[in-house]
Amino acid sequence: MEPETTEFGWRAGFYTRDEAGNILPAQRAYDTVVPVLAMIWAAGVLVFWLFGLVSYGLLLRRLRFAVRDQDVPPHLNVWLSDRVKTPCLVGIFRPKIILPFGMDEKQRAFVLCHEAEHLRHGDAIWKLLGYLLMSVYWYHYFLWMLYSVFLEDLELACDARVLQRLGESVKADYSEALVDFSTRRRMVSVVQIAFGENYTRDRVRSVLRWKKPLRALIVPALAICVDRKSVV
């Protein structure tokens, strides 16, 4: 039984006849392009996942001889390694703060406060989720820009929380520590957050411009927000 055809179907190239006169579906460019595009997309996803797994595996291998730091509270889970030059936060479910040996005490205090803020807000999990989203939509240029802004905002927000805790008097020393560790940065990993992460220039500029919010202005601002919600 021959398939039902229409004049539009013939003109659009949906049907054709073979040598015996049988009506067959026509081969269109759409039928070949879509599978090729799907294979390219899947290959891109695979490359992202492989890069993430390999880079994380190499990082864990470098840290296999790290030793526990006994001079800090156990809940911070701080480890020391001679294989890293930049302090970093590694892991998802049981994250570890990794410090290089021989750190200056002042920089050490900044780093521990910074990484503790990352831990408190689950930034490693957010970074991993962002990377997984990027692996699916790797072809989207706009998402690449958003991902870069997202990573920068994680660091800027963490820097602001550190300054909120330590006060404005540490801004110069904190900025110096950022610059120092950014020059040593070598590792790249999906779930590794380094104190000397990229965006150093913007972070230093943000730190130097940071001002502690005035409590006298916080209460009126909250009152305005509540009032607007009640009106809506």
Side-chain angles (χ1 to χ4, degrees), residues 29-104:
Y30 175 86
D31 299 326
T32 57
V33 170
V34 171
V36 171
L37 292 178
M39 292 177 62
I40 295 175
W41 170 82
V45 174
L46 182 61
V47 168
F48 261 76
W49 289 357
L50 285 177
F51 173 79
L53 292 174
V54 170
S55 63
Y56 187 57
L58 291 175
L59 175 61
L60 292 182
R61 180 173 178 173
R62 295 182 63 180
L63 300 176
R64 67 186 184 278
F65 297 121
V67 295
R68 189 73 173 264
D69 189 348
Q70 304 296 333
D71 297 332
V72 297
H75 72 276
L76 287 178
N77 201 15
V78 179
W79 293 71
L80 302 174
S81 173
D82 60 352
R83 302 295 305 275
V84 298
K85 296 182 179 181
T86 305
C88 57
L89 181 65
V90 177
I92 296 296
F93 302 106
R94 297 186 61 186
K96 298 179 180 179
I97 298 176
I98 310 296
L99 303 180
F101 280 103
M103 283 186 60
D104 176 81

Side-chain angles (χ1 to χ4, degrees), residues 143-201:
L143 193 61
W144 281 87
M145 293 189 295
L146 289 180
Y147 183 64
S148 178
V149 172
F150 164 70
L151 294 181
E152 182 178 3
D153 282 347
L154 283 182
E155 295 302 326
L156 292 176
C158 190
D159 292 336
R161 292 192 296 266
V162 171
L163 294 176
Q164 183 74 29
R165 285 179 172 273
L166 301 182
E168 294 186 42
S169 60
V170 304
K171 291 195 298 185
D173 293 332
Y174 188 80
S175 300
E176 183 179 349
L178 286 175
V179 174
D180 182 24
F181 285 115
S182 68
T183 60
R184 310 182 195 178
R185 186 172 180 268
R186 292 293 183 272
M187 293 182 298
V188 178
S189 179
V190 177
V191 292
Q192 170 247 327
I193 295 181
F195 180 77
E197 200 74 63
N198 285 335
Y199 326 108
T200 304
R201 183 182 63 181

